[in-house]
Amino acid sequence: MPIRSSRPRAIASWLLVVAFLVFFMVVVGGITRLTESGLSITEWRPVSGAIPPLTAADWQTAFDAYKRVPQYVAIHDGMTLAQFKFIFFWEWVHRLLGRVIGLAFAFPLAWFWVRGAIPEHYKLRLVALLALGALQGAVGWWMVKSGLWQGVSVSHYRLALHLLLALTILASLVWTALDLIGLSRNPASRPARLTGFAVVVAVVLYIQLLYGAWVAGLRAGKVTQNWPLMSDSVWPTGVDWSQGWAFTFSSDPYLVHFIHRWWAWVAVAALVMLAIRVKRAGVRRGSLGLHIALGTQVLLGIATVMSGVNIGLAVAHQAVGALLVATVAWGAHIIGRQA
């Protein structure tokens, strides 16, 4: 087969489609967590698991398997089969999306590779993205396993890793697509550089995302419905230091919630500085996008707490968080082009 010329624009469009699928999966993952659906499927069957139960007997078998999970007794004891089907649906959709994303990445990658359409120096990066996707699937099942036989939910540490890895994949897809768009416009274009400033901003943001994931995993958003105070106090009452500072800083719901709500302002400052640099680089749309995503995320976070973690608001908070990560990747790419 003759070697064709590279097609950076086509590959960029494909990567942006995959990025949208990853964003959608993050949203569905939020719904799965908030509806306590994540442990409803107790097995990992990569191929046959794509087909849900089809007969009454199959549904009863799946339901009986879930009844053996500690979460059922603690939270869902006495639920009907119809109620089980509801939580099963969200976990099944979440896993199905993982399979769809895997196929949507692997098959086009193979096609572009065989056609010789992948630009030089991008093959390794695309293979690394494929490997990250496979790792994400493994981490997802590792997370689910943590809640099947003990406790009433999955490990919040594993939940955080699962979410942060998904957001890293999203940012990497956006960054690579932007590099390829630049290459399509100018064949002499070089990939953007990740600047030291962008790394600092990313670290600040990821600390906020980490604590947000811990808040979700610990159900810490429900420890108070007040803002800016926590139950009429700046410093939360009820913080337990008895198990050591490391455990408290990562597992005490009161302190985790406190850090998440106040570290947010450190993240605001860092992202506003990024937006200013993006505007100075001459890309006003990028700066505006950062401000809109950031402002919306802060307001949604406050509203989520004050509503007692309303599911709609909480899902929107996670969705805009993913959009913020993608927007930050765009902003960091803009200043990295000039570095």
Side-chain angles (χ1 to χ4, degrees):
M1 180 179 293
I3 300 297
R4 306 289 184 87
S5 59
S6 66
R7 300 180 59 191
R9 187 73 192 207
I11 296 175
S13 298
W14 156 58
L15 292 178
L16 290 175
V17 169
V18 177
F20 173 78
L21 291 174
V22 172
F23 163 76
F24 189 40
M25 188 170 184
V26 169
V27 174
V28 172
I31 297 173
T32 300
R33 173 182 53 79
L34 289 161
T35 55
E36 302 289 356
S37 302
L39 299 177
S40 59
I41 303 178
T42 60
E43 296 179 305
W44 172 242
R45 295 179 294 169
V47 178
S48 60
I51 302 174
L54 299 177
T55 67
D58 290 341
W59 275 113
Q60 191 60 52
T61 298
F63 193 18
D64 289 341
Y66 178 59
K67 288 180 179 180
R68 293 191 290 271
V69 175
Q71 184 193 72
Y72 170 80
V73 177
I75 298 177
H76 290 149
D77 189 23
M79 77 184 314
T80 65
L81 180 60
Q83 291 170 327
F84 170 71
K85 288 181 178 180
F86 173 79
I87 64 172
F88 185 100
F89 168 79
W90 285 113
E91 176 63 8
W92 177 76
V93 169
H94 188 56
R95 296 191 189 192
L96 183 65
L97 273 172
R99 294 178 174 95
V100 169
I101 291 170
L103 295 175
F105 194 92
F107 284 163
L109 174 61
W111 189 86
F112 283 124
W113 195 299
V114 170
R115 304 289 289 183
I118 301 176
E120 190 176 1
H121 306 308
Y122 280 87
K123 287 184 177 180
L124 182 59
R125 199 192 303 193
L126 294 175
V127 170
L129 282 170
L130 180 63
L132 280 178
L135 177 62
Q136 174 71 342
V139 169
W141 176 240
W142 181 59
M143 175 190 70
V144 169
K145 285 180 66 177
S146 70
L148 288 178
W149 315 121
Q150 58 185 0
V152 298
S153 61
V154 300
S155 162
H156 66 287
Y157 297 114
R158 298 186 188 187
L159 172 68
L161 178 59
H162 189 51
L163 177 60
L164 294 183
L165 183 55
L167 295 176
T168 299
I169 292 171
L170 175 62
S172 300
L173 287 166
V174 171
W175 186 283
T176 303
L178 291 171
D179 273 345
L180 287 163
I181 289 172
L183 184 64
S184 70
R185 293 171 177 168
N186 178 11
S189 174
R190 298 181 61 84
R193 187 171 70 86
L194 186 61
T195 64
F197 173 75
V199 170
V200 171
V201 171
V203 169
V204 169
L205 177 60
Y206 266 67
I207 290 173
Q208 179 66 1
L209 295 169
L210 173 65
Y211 270 90
W214 285 348
V215 166
L218 294 167
R219 279 64 175 169
K222 295 184 177 182
V223 299
T224 179
Q225 289 184 235
N226 302 119
W227 190 92
L229 301 180
M230 292 185 66
S231 301
D232 303 320
S233 175
V234 174
W235 179 259
T237 57
V239 176
D240 181 8
W241 296 96
S242 64
Q243 299 188 62
W245 68 268
F247 179 87
T248 304
F249 270 87
S250 63
S251 298
D252 183 90
Y254 292 94
L255 186 58
V256 167
H257 183 133
F258 175 82
I259 293 172
H260 183 59
R261 65 162 58 188
W262 292 111
W263 186 263
W265 301 109
V266 180
V268 166
L271 295 177
V272 167
M273 291 173 64
L274 174 61
I276 291 172
R277 294 200 179 196
V278 168
K279 186 175 180 180
R280 287 175 179 170
V283 187
R284 187 174 179 275
R285 288 186 306 163
S287 177
L288 184 61
L290 277 165
H291 282 297
I292 291 173
L294 177 59
T296 303
Q297 181 69 344
V298 170
L299 292 175
L300 282 171
I302 295 170
T304 299
V305 169
M306 297 185 71
S307 70
V309 190
N310 172 271
I311 288 182
L313 290 172
V315 171
H317 186 50
Q318 182 155 319
V320 176
L323 290 177
L324 181 60
V325 169
T327 308
V328 168
W330 179 26
H333 190 274
I334 289 170
I335 65 173
R337 287 204 309 259
Q338 299 184 346

